[in-house]
Amino acid sequence: MRQIPVDTAGAIVMVAKSPQVKVRDRRTGEIATDTETGAKLMTVDVMFAANEEVEILSITVPEPGISGELAMGTPVALTGLIARPWENDFNGQKRHGIAFRAVAVTSLADASAGSKAA
């Protein structure tokens, strides 16, 4: 499946919703895991502002890639962000969208606090 790298250099990114465990199957409660590492997957909703537009994106990230306190409003850096188009057929209805995944979501709050103290 095609993966499209997302340039975050000119964007302002803040946490909109704290990290949540990603559930693979809602009926069974099965937790989603990374197919390569086996790490538990998390979702972090972020406010992504670029080119005078703002969107809320739900980013999937392996649990070890989450660092720092990620409370609502915390500025973050997204490492290795990719977009992947998807499509499925559920009960005869075609659905489609874009899934976002990152290698890491890192709080920038500590970095900004450190620079203000200097």
Side-chain angles (χ1 to χ4, degrees):
M1 182 170 290
R2 182 173 179 159
Q3 296 182 13
I4 304 162
V6 178
D7 180 12
T8 60
I12 296 170
V13 185
M14 292 183 183
V15 174
K17 185 176 180 184
S18 299
Q20 306 289 314
V21 173
K22 183 170 182 160
V23 178
R24 178 182 175 96
D25 186 334
R26 291 181 188 165
R27 291 173 291 154
T28 65
E30 179 185 359
I31 303 301
T33 57
D34 186 287
T35 55
E36 293 177 14
T37 66
K40 182 172 25 174
L41 293 177
M42 307 292 285
T43 58
V44 181
D45 290 354
V46 299
M47 179 203 73
F48 190 93
N51 303 320
E52 297 188 23
E53 291 186 25
V54 177
E55 291 190 50
I56 301 295
L57 305 179
S58 186
I59 312 288
T60 299
V61 61
E63 189 175 38
I66 294 176
S67 62
E69 181 65 32
L70 298 184
M72 185 186 306
T74 304
V76 293
L78 303 173
T79 304
L81 182 63
I82 57 146
R84 179 182 295 168
W86 61 269
E87 183 176 315
N88 66 22
D89 197 345
F90 184 73
N91 289 338
Q93 291 186 311
K94 286 198 179 276
R95 298 174 49 159
H96 62 276
I98 299 172
F100 294 92
R101 180 152 176 164
V103 172
V105 177
T106 307
S107 170
L108 298 177
D110 295 337
S112 64
S115 64
K116 288 178 184 174

